[in-house]
């Protein structure tokens, strides 16, 4: 190649390298502040997994914790989860984006897969950060600041020091907070960052239940797991009751488990009436939750993402407030999980598409159950016998109470292997025992007239259903007196 050709080929080079602005200002737009912070907690969990290897037993994460503290100037997260090994810090941890190489694979835990979470979270929160970590006897410190952000070069300086921490763990301190983080942290200081604490209590419920402690500004977060109703009624030799629909299968290297059931009592007409007029019902726990390796990635969704109102499934509506669904994916390889780079749900993944069909199957069982009971109330002794169970207990209960439903086992089904489906035998309303719901409509003026007749003045605490109930009891007691007479 002569000089002229060389110059020509130089002129034809296209700039295709990523910019820092892309990672610092643009990528951070795709994630909410709270979700970015949850990803820092994911890293703590992964570090424990690498530390202890196998995750089994009831409390595998016991003894490990992450403590988050913040004010409107600084955000800090410190864990005791094992720390970042020096070679990982030098060759992977601070790179923007992971690789699919075997080497990266050995560094993985159960949640992190893309090599972006920690860096994106730092830039979402602020622009100056210090990461210190100690793994075994070796510790280090890495600083990220404005100067680095302005440079084209991506290298960061690492300082080895064993003094950085007294224990094995990692501490990330971010300052020069972004305006959003400043506001959230300021509001947080006043009221405990309610959105963050609430998200942690739901999204880490199963990890906290396995022993991991998360403390936010000195307050320990309590887990809020989804509990399903279970009641076992023996009528003669037959058993019926309320039990969830369960589906289990393997798809490639992912275990799928779907559970759909009731998490609260069915709504009554008065409650639905009030909802329609004043929006008084609470729906925060209704709907479907997606979990990947114990980490909730989508909580109580009521949209087509989890199958509602899609294909033959009905759309979510207040009548279905008692229904909850859970789909849990487990895999040793986090890249196989239906998780996006922001640790949300990857709806289009093949494994998710297979699971959603069965989530809809379960929703179908319980929406039909809800319609069936719409005009009846479950008899009191049965309602009293209802207990709530954790998803971990459900499989055992379904095995013990096999008569409460039917297990169907298939070796292969639509590309999945080891398929087990539990169809619950749900209790049907019995008009002779289960109270019938009476519904009728009357003008407000007449309801007011009756209220005033009964109480001599309007009583706004009583609902129209309460008034109807009082009238019914009045007449019933009169009828009984007449009868005794
Ligand atoms: N708290 C921590 N304890 C130990 N190692 C950590 C911690 N935080 C980060 N690391 C190391 O830094 C690496 C990079 O973290 P980062 O969150 O950016 O990516 P990832 O976890 O590999 O993938 P993802 O983008 O899916 O989260 C981790 O893989 C881990 O090796
Ligand atoms: Mg991560």
């Amino acid at each position: 190649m002569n000089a002229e050709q060389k110059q020509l080929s130089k002129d034809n080079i296209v700039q295709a390298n990523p910019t820092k602005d892309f990672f610092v200002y643009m990528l951070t737009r795709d994630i909410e502040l709270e979700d970015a912070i949850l990803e820092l907690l994911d890293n703590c969990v992964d570090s424990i997994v690498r530390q202890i290897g196998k995750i089994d037993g009831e409390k595998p994460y016991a003894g490990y914790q992450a403590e988050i503290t913040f004010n409107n100037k600084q955000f800090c997260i410190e864990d005791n989860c094992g720390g970042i090994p020096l070679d990982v810090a030098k060759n992977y941890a601070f790179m923007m984006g992971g690789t699919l190489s075997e080497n990266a694979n050995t560094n993985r835990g159960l949640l992190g897969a893309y090599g972006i979470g920690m860096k994106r979270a730092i830039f979402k929160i602020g622009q100056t950060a210090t990461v210190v970590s100690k793994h075994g006897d070796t510790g280090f410190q890495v600083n990220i600041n404005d100067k680095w952000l302005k440079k084209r070069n991506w290298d960061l300086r690492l300082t080895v020091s064993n003094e950085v921490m007294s224990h094995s763990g990692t501490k990330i301190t971010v300052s020069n907070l972004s305006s959003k983080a400043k506001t959230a942290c300021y509001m947080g200081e006043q009221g405990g960052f309610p959105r963050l604490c609430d998200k942690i209590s739901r999204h880490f419920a199963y990890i906290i239940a396995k022993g991991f402690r998360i403390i936010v500004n000195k307050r320990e977060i309590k887990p809020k797991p989804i509990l399903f109703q279970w009641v076992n009624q023996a009528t003669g030799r037959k058993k019926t009751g309320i039990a969830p629909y369960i589906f289990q299968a393997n798809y490639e290297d992912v275990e799928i488990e779907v559970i759909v059931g009731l998490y609260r009592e069915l709504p009554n007409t008065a409650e639905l009436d009030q909802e329609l007029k004043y929006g008084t019902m609470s729906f925060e726990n209704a709907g479907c939750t997606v979990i990947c390796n114990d980490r909730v990635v989508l909580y109580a969704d009521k949209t087509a993402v989890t199958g509602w109102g899609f294909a033959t499934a009905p759309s979510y509506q207040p009548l279905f407030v008692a229904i909850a669904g859970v789909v849990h994916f487990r895999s040793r390889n986090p890249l196989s999980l239906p998780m996006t780079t922001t640790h949300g749900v990857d709806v289009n993944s093949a494994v998710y598409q297979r699971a959603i069909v069965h989530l809809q199957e379960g929703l179908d069982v319980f929406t039909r159950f809800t319609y069936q009971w719409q005009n009846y109330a479950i008899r009191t002794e049965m309602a009293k016998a209802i207990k709530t169970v954790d998803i971990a207990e459900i499989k055992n209960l379904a095995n013990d109470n096999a008569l409460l439903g039917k297990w169907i086992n298939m070796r292969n089904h639509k590309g999945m292997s080891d398929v087990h489906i539990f169809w619950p035998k749900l209790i049907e309303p019995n008009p002779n025992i289960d109270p019938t719901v009476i519904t009728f409509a009357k003008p407000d003026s007449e309801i007011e007239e009756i209220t005033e007749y009964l109480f001599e003045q309007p009583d706004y605490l009583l609902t129209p259903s309460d008034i109807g109930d009082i009238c019914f009891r009045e007449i019933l007691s009169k009828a009984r007196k007449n009868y005794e007479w």
Side-chain angles (χ1 to χ4, degrees), residues 39-48 50 66 77-85 88-89 92-98 104 107-109 111-121 131-135 140 169-172 334-335 339-343:
E39 287 207 35
L40 293 174
L41 292 168
D42 288 346
N43 286 344
C44 303
V45 176
D46 274 349
S47 184
I48 309 172
R50 284 191 290 268
I77 175 166
E78 178 168 2
D79 69 62
N80 65 350
C81 303
I84 308 176
V88 174
Y92 173 72
F94 292 90
M95 280 175 74
M96 304 283 174
N107 173 50
R108 275 195 193 113
L111 302 168
Y114 303 105
I116 189 70
M118 174 177 76
K119 285 76 71 175
R120 181 169 43 199
V131 180
V132 298
S133 191
K134 191 171 180 187
H135 175 76
F140 69 84
T170 303
K171 180 175 177 181
I172 302 174
L335 273 171
M339 227 175 15
T340 60
T341 72
T342 50
H343 294 193

Side-chain angles (χ1 to χ4, degrees), residues 141 207 237 310 372 427:
Q141 172 163 343
I207 290 168
R237 285 177 56 214
F310 172 68
Q372 218 181 4
I427 188 147

Side-chain angles (χ1 to χ4, degrees), residues 24 36 51 76 191 220 270 293-294 304 308 338 345 376 422 442 451 479:
V24 177
Q51 196 65 6
C76 177
E220 183 158 358
N293 280 346
D294 285 330
W308 289 99
V345 184
Y376 297 94
F422 180 76
K442 290 287 163 213
T451 318

